Amino acid sequence: MYSHPQHGGGEEVKELRRQAGAWLKNRRTEVGLTQRALAESVGLEYYTMVSMIEAGRGRIPPDSYLAWAAALQMQPAEFVRTLMQFYDPITHSILFGDAGSATPDDGTGHAAPKFRVV
């Protein structure tokens, strides 16, 4: 079962992080940024942090969502809404009317596992 979004979690959370990373990588390449250029744009000291996030081994801290949205040429609300599908699918489902059927698409055609809202 899905665990709290901030607590690492089990295989489902890891899979969602991988899907988030794939979506971010797709978006980064769509706008023509390298990992290094994105890292500089969002204020990361090391571009390898972008690599880790794209590989699903980290997540974007909420206090940098605005910088990431700007760098990826997205409206902040659209960026956060999409990211929330992966980072917190239950809350996303409740907020956006698809409660009980969270199936984010990572941009590569993969859907996330469905979660039960309890």
Side-chain angles (χ1 to χ4, degrees), residues 38-114:
L38 178 56
E40 289 174 7
S41 293
V42 299
L44 294 174
E45 190 172 348
Y46 303 104
Y47 77 92
T48 54
M49 290 301 297
V50 173
S51 176
M52 289 177 64
I53 291 168
E54 288 181 352
R57 293 190 310 267
R59 48 182 284 154
I60 300 170
D63 64 349
S64 65
Y65 285 169
L66 292 175
W68 280 75
L72 295 173
Q73 301 174 15
M74 295 181 72
Q75 292 296 315
E78 177 189 2
F79 176 77
V80 172
R81 184 182 336 219
T82 303
L83 200 59
M84 183 183 274
Q85 292 178 61
F86 305 107
Y87 285 2
D88 193 352
I90 293 172
T91 302
H92 182 274
S93 294
I94 293 166
L95 289 173
F96 302 108
D98 56 351
S101 63
T103 56
D105 181 348
D106 65 8
T108 63
H110 297 100
K114 290 187 178 183

Side-chain angles (χ1 to χ4, degrees), residues 2 12 14 27 30 35 38-39 56 66 82 101:
Y2 175 77
E12 292 171 343
K14 290 177 186 175
R27 185 64 193 161
E30 282 176 7
Q35 288 180 345
L38 178 56
L66 292 175
T82 303
S101 63

